[in-house]
């Protein structure tokens, strides 16, 4: 059981380049999330998905797009990277909200630097 | 929407002492309050949680208290050990709603 995995672990982009971050989970979770973590600001939700084929905006969605074509995968795309998107990105997954447990399982993170 | 504040932002204690981290939330509809621990270079991991119908919950050296009237909840770690050094996040959630709102985090250092 690998849990939540993220690819890649590190990436350096130039301003204007694009990239896709991949998140995969093997726990059959319905919900998946993308967060960014910046110093002093905690974890801020970018986008999330409540099931295969669905996506929704979080607190800071601008500049990002997502897709959930398969239940186990959640992709985060940056179409035209900006220095303000330099951050550590975490993916998480959980069961649905109808019954406990409500725990979110986090991946190890992707450190992205945009120069 | 929900807003979660967390204090202190940094905390340093001697090994064996207790540590307390406090959080406040704004939305009275929030009914689930988890605490996550993030070790260096890793993703956050749930360590304890509490639901709104409970005032206190303990798990070995860790306890969480909730005051719904005042809209604040706290994490208590007793007999701290060096491996407790990490960043701790509180969070608030309405279980009928999809989003978890995290506090900004507390960096705890336990000095041997």
């Amino acid at each position: 059981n690998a849990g939540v995995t993220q690819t890649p672990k590190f990436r350096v982009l130039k301003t204007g380049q694009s990239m896709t971050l991949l998140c995969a989970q093997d726990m059959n979770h319905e919900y998946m999330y993308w967060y960014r973590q910046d110093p002093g600001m905690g974890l801020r939700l970018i986008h999330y998905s409540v099931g295969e084929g669905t996506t929704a905006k979080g607190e800071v969605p601008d500049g990002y797009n997502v897709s959930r074509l398969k239940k186990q995968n959640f992709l985060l795309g940056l179409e035209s990277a900006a220095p303000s998107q330099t951050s550590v990105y975490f993916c998480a997954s959980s069961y649905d909200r109808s019954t406990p447990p409500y725990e979110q399982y986090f991946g190890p993170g992707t450190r992205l630097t945009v120069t | 929407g929900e807003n979660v504040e967390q204090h202190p932002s940094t905390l340093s204690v001697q090994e064996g002492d207790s540590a307390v981290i406090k959080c406040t939330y704004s939305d009275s509809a929030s009914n689930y309050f988890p605490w996550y621990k993030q070790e260096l270079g890793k993703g956050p991991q749930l360590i304890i949680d509490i639901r709104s119908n409970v005032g206190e919950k303990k798990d070995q050296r860790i306890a969480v208290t909730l005051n719904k009237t005042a809209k604040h909840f706290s994490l208590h770690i007793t007999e701290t050990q060096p491996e407790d050094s990490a960043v701790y996040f509180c969070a608030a959630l309405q279980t009928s709603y999809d989003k978890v709102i995290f506090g900004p985090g507390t960096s705890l250092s336990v000095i041997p």
Side-chain angles (χ1 to χ4, degrees), chain A residues 31 33 35 37 40 42-43 45 48 50 57 90 97 100 102-104 106-108, chain B residues 32 36 38 41-44 46 51 89 93 95 97-104:
Chain A
Y31 283 38
Y33 314 80
Y35 292 92
Q37 184 176 31
L43 293 153
L45 184 64
Y48 64 101
V50 302
K57 293 180 180 180
F90 287 99
R97 290 270 182 253
Y102 306 119
E103 177 178 0
Q104 292 190 12
F106 284 83
Chain B
Y32 172 68
Y36 286 80
Q38 185 179 25
K42 296 184 178 180
L46 182 74
R51 288 186 229 169
F89 293 98
L93 164 71
T95 53
Y97 193 49
D98 297 324
K99 302 176 190 176
V100 178
I101 303 299
F102 285 86

Side-chain angles (χ1 to χ4, degrees), chain A residues 68-90:
Chain A
R68 182 104 180 265
L69 298 179
K70 293 183 180 181
K71 186 176 183 178
Q72 63 268 33
N73 295 338
F74 196 28
L75 279 63
L76 177 71
L78 286 73
E79 289 186 348
S80 179
S84 60
Q85 294 177 305
T86 293
S87 188
V88 181
Y89 292 85
F90 287 99

Side-chain angles (χ1 to χ4, degrees), chain A residues 45-64:
Chain A
L45 184 64
I46 304 171
H47 286 281
Y48 64 101
S49 168
V50 302
E52 181 178 316
T54 75
T55 62
K57 293 180 180 180
E59 300 171 76
V60 289
D62 294 343
Y64 306 95

Side-chain angles (χ1 to χ4, degrees), chain B residues 6 21 23 33-36 46-48 64 73-75 89-90:
Chain B
Q6 184 172 347
I21 303 170
C23 289
F33 307 92
W35 286 88
Y36 286 80
L46 182 74
I47 55 170
I48 196 168
V64 58
F73 56 112
S74 301
L75 178 71
F89 293 98
C90 62

Side-chain angles (χ1 to χ4, degrees), chain B residues 13-19 37 39 60-61 77-86 88 108-112:
Chain B
V13 300
Q14 291 291 135
E15 182 177 357
D17 287 350
S18 296
K37 176 183 180 183
E39 296 177 346
Q60 300 183 331
R61 297 186 296 108
I77 306 174
T78 58
E79 300 173 18
T80 53
Q81 300 167 4
E83 51 265 38
D84 294 330
S85 296
Y88 291 82
L108 173 65
S109 297
V110 180
I111 305 165

